[in-house]
Amino acid sequence: TEVNIDGDSIDLEMRVQEGPQAHLSHVRINGNDRLYENVVRRELRTKPGDLFSKEAIQRSQREIASMGHFDSEKIIPDIRPDYENGTVDVNWNLAQKSNDQVEFSLGWGQTGVIGRIGLKLNNFSMRNLFNKNREHRGIMPIGDGEVLSIGAQTNGTYYQSYNASYSTNWFGGKRPIQFSVGAYFSKQTDVSSNYYNSGYLNNYYNYMYGYGNYAYNNYENYYDPDKYVKLFGLTLGWGKRLRWPDDYFQLSVQLAYTRYMLKNWRYFLLTTGNSNNLNLSVALSRTSTDNQLFPRRGSEFTASVTITPPWSKWDNKDYEHLATNRQSATYEKEQQEKYRWVEYHKWKFKSKTYTALSGGQKCFVLMTRVEMGLLGSFNKYKKSPFETYYMGGDGMSGYSTSYAEETIGLRGYENGSLTPYGYEGYAYDRFTLELRYPFLLGNTTIYGLGFVEAGNAWNDTKRFNPFDMKRSAGLGVRIFLPMVGLMGIDWAYGFDKVFGQKGGSQFHFILGQEF
């Protein structure tokens, strides 16, 4: 309506009368031929009878993409309003993609060729495993979006590792409750170049104490079946999606047990004997990313604590004078008594944020990462020989000790090189800025990246200093193939010296997604 005309100017007033709100009438799902329809519908925030909401449409789009069963770049809701009836139909036109992964790889390590075989089914159905009429869903029991993973890694005599796990995000099928169970076994025998003979460790002792050839420097390269470490573990997990502060939050609890069996194994504080680790982990996380493979917006946060019973508070043992003399005839017996039950409290914080620097699907994305961890003890004379941080390199855990240590990557430096003594990482931090750009999006995703990174590890939580960091920078590329998973290669340059040796130019090969 023209409300004022003054010379060559006109004032206009827009008068709007709000009508009845539109409700959703039909919500259709097209393009799904591998999942049961209720598995997709339970993730939707758009249900018949609800008021139309753009926010609910966007959230549903994000939840479908997070499932990993459909091409996230092709999830576009088809919204069809009916003005006469005051309703809206929503058609979800989806493009199915295969997300099961089969792995068969060969690598080269200190013991020669290492082979790995693995199978990860991301659309498993436990109930169909015992259903005689499951043939209409294919050879494998599929349809419920559960995850079954089995894997084995070995190079024959020296190293073997086996693992299996099962998880579901909708335990019982009615509520978003997470349930998981897993088991693993591994054995590694002392062989080839001893870590105590390595350049980094010699440099550490030379840097700290003024000498480089430590007591094990004359250790010969040979296979010795009387020097080994075996690990057996079980995990049981439960998780629940929260409604407060918002429904991106999730609370997770995991009960885990690990049995360590060592004989003349000099890479931990405990060298010979059996040790038990019973712990409870509680984690609060929030994930709001818009895409699993190439997030453009959103964030990921996790704060967690893992705690064991404080055994030393109850057993009345004198840990200050227990297993302190390596030359004693009863040293190994005292070690077994000291570490029969491991105790610690472990605190971690991890975060990632993603910011699109322009519009459209193909755009530069800035990823920032901040993380830190502390491994404390209830008794200063009984520090945990396990669960330490193994920091440096590509962040990939190769040998069985990955179950006894947590591997933290820092590109531009050799694997584990930032960890004092090779195993005493009781505190760490890491900071990353990474600029990404996608070359190909879809079932096959390829993107390049440039990064700057910094971090460090300490053998005592009291020495933790977030400003004492080792720095690096580099370039890389990531490739996601549906049947293989995420692969990548990074070139990085470490600018600082670690125990007297500079990081320098390093190439890192990446397999799998790292949080």
Side-chain angles (χ1 to χ4, degrees):
T1 301
E2 297 177 1
V3 295
N4 184 36
I5 301 177
D6 184 8
D8 59 353
S9 299
I10 300 176
D11 292 342
L12 299 178
E13 185 178 280
M14 305 295 294
R15 298 175 180 174
V16 178
Q17 182 178 357
E18 185 176 357
Q21 290 181 278
H23 287 75
L24 298 179
S25 179
H26 296 89
V27 179
R28 303 179 179 89
I29 299 173
N30 304 317
N32 170 42
D33 56 7
R34 298 183 73 244
L35 286 160
Y36 290 115
E37 184 156 317
N38 70 293
V39 175
V40 183
R41 285 194 178 274
R42 67 192 184 191
E43 301 290 347
L44 296 179
R45 306 301 174 95
T46 54
K47 298 179 179 179
D50 290 348
L51 287 172
F52 175 81
S53 166
K54 182 179 180 181
E55 181 181 354
I57 295 287
Q58 294 173 336
R59 183 64 186 272
S60 298
Q61 187 174 359
R62 183 257 176 198
E63 296 298 330
I64 295 175
S66 298
M67 295 177 69
H69 297 283
F70 306 98
D71 188 344
S72 57
E73 304 300 326
K74 298 180 181 179
I75 302 176
I76 301 176
D78 180 16
I79 301 174
R80 297 180 177 271
D82 185 339
Y83 298 105
E84 292 184 1
N85 296 321
T87 61
V88 178
D89 291 349
V90 180
N91 298 322
W92 290 100
N93 299 316
L94 309 177
Q96 195 88 48
K97 73 174 184 178
S98 175
N99 62 344
D100 295 332
Q101 296 178 13
V102 178
E103 179 182 356
F104 178 76
S105 61
L106 294 174
W108 182 266
Q110 64 174 2
T111 57
V113 177
I114 302 172
R116 174 174 174 80
I117 185 170
L119 175 65
K120 185 177 182 181
L121 304 176
N122 290 292
N123 188 23
F124 185 72
S125 174
M126 182 62 74
R127 60 174 177 149
N128 276 344
L129 184 63
F130 308 101
N131 183 3
K132 295 181 181 180
N133 300 319
R134 69 173 185 266
E135 287 76 15
H136 67 284
R137 287 286 173 180
I139 299 176
M140 299 299 296
I142 64 172
D144 282 323
E146 301 162 354
V147 179
L148 177 68
S149 175
I150 55 176
Q153 187 174 358
T154 182
N155 71 340
T157 308
Y158 310 125
Y159 170 67
Q160 300 175 44
S161 176
Y162 309 95
N163 62 81
S165 64
Y166 163 82
S167 66
T168 175
N169 290 329
W170 286 76
F171 185 59
K174 296 182 179 180
R175 292 180 177 85
I177 295 177
Q178 228 179 33
F179 174 79
S180 64
V181 61
Y184 58 84
F185 172 80
S186 65
K187 177 183 178 181
Q188 184 178 348
T189 305
D190 207 348
V191 67
S192 189
S193 58
N194 190 326
Y195 186 83
Y196 285 90
N197 221 1
S198 70
Y200 263 103
L201 194 64
N202 281 333
N203 284 330
Y204 177 83
Y205 284 108
N206 188 53
Y207 180 80
M208 295 294 292
Y209 306 114
Y211 58 88
N213 296 322
Y214 196 53
Y216 297 105
N217 195 47
N218 294 325
Y219 180 73
E220 297 177 359
N221 298 336
Y222 66 99
Y223 162 65
D224 189 344
D226 289 329
K227 295 182 174 67
Y228 62 81
V229 56
K230 297 179 182 178
L231 295 93
F232 169 74
L234 297 170
T235 61
L236 182 66
W238 174 91
K240 178 179 176 58
R241 187 183 298 172
L242 303 180
R243 296 182 179 179
W244 186 88
D246 60 40
D247 57 4
Y248 287 111
F249 279 88
Q250 180 162 310
L251 178 67
S252 303
V253 179
Q254 178 176 274
L255 180 66
Y257 170 77
T258 303
R259 172 80 166 177
Y260 305 94
M261 296 155 280
L262 304 94
K263 185 175 181 182
N264 300 321
W265 191 259
R266 66 201 87 208
Y267 306 108
F268 297 126
L269 292 177
L270 175 64
T271 58
T272 299
N274 299 327
S275 184
N276 303 279
N277 182 355
L278 179 65
N279 65 77
L280 180 70
S281 298
V282 180
L284 181 66
S285 60
R286 185 183 189 274
T287 303
S288 60
T289 53
D290 61 346
N291 191 307
Q292 279 188 324
L293 299 180
F294 189 75
R296 301 175 183 84
R297 297 170 182 85
S299 59
E300 303 172 22
F301 294 92
T302 299
S304 66
V305 57
T306 303
I307 190 170
T308 67
W311 307 106
S312 62
K313 302 294 184 182
W314 305 327
D315 55 21
N316 298 319
K317 293 181 181 179
D318 182 12
Y319 289 100
E320 182 178 0
H321 302 98
L322 191 63
T324 57
N325 184 7
R326 290 179 176 269
Q327 307 303 321
S328 172
T330 61
Y331 177 72
E332 290 185 357
K333 184 178 180 180
E334 291 179 7
Q335 266 202 324
Q336 294 183 43
E337 184 180 355
K338 183 175 184 178
Y339 297 114
R340 188 177 306 278
W341 287 96
V342 178
E343 63 175 34
Y344 59 86
H345 49 91
K346 189 174 188 178
W347 306 80
K348 290 188 294 183
F349 174 78
K350 297 183 178 182
S351 73
K352 280 185 178 180
T353 64
Y354 302 90
T355 305
L357 302 182
S358 60
Q361 288 186 321
K362 287 193 173 184
C363 61
F364 283 99
V365 175
L366 179 66
M367 186 276 287
T368 67
R369 172 168 53 200
V370 176
E371 62 177 277
M372 56 188 65
L374 299 173
L375 179 62
S377 60
F378 296 105
N379 188 321
K380 65 180 180 179
Y381 301 109
K382 190 183 178 182
K383 296 174 68 175
S384 173
F386 311 113
E387 298 296 327
T388 54
Y389 301 110
Y390 184 77
M391 188 172 188
D394 51 33
M396 295 177 58
S397 55
Y399 285 143
S400 63
T401 53
S402 62
Y403 295 121
E405 300 172 311
E406 182 175 348
T407 304
I408 309 295
L410 188 70
R411 293 164 288 188
Y413 300 90
E414 291 188 8
N415 288 356
S417 61
L418 277 72
T419 306
Y421 300 96
Y423 59 86
E424 288 196 18
Y426 287 88
Y428 87 95
D429 63 8
R430 177 169 63 159
F431 305 89
T432 305
L433 281 175
E434 194 170 279
L435 186 63
R436 302 175 173 180
Y437 184 80
F439 302 120
L440 182 64
L441 296 172
N443 283 339
T444 299
T445 299
I446 304 174
Y447 64 88
L449 55 91
F451 63 88
V452 291
E453 201 161 50
N456 207 350
W458 296 267
N459 66 341
D460 193 331
T461 55
K462 295 181 180 179
R463 296 183 178 181
F464 176 77
N465 182 359
F467 301 103
D468 177 20
M469 295 183 292
K470 310 302 180 184
R471 303 159 300 168
S472 66
L475 302 170
V477 65
R478 296 291 184 271
I479 302 174
F480 178 85
L481 300 176
M483 290 295 291
V484 179
L486 190 67
M487 303 180 297
I489 182 172
D490 291 332
W491 171 83
Y493 188 87
F495 298 104
D496 298 303
K497 290 184 177 181
V498 180
F499 309 130
Q501 183 170 331
K502 194 172 184 179
S505 179
Q506 303 280 343
F507 281 94
H508 305 289
F509 295 92
I510 311 298
L511 287 174
Q513 189 84 29
E514 181 194 8
F515 173 67

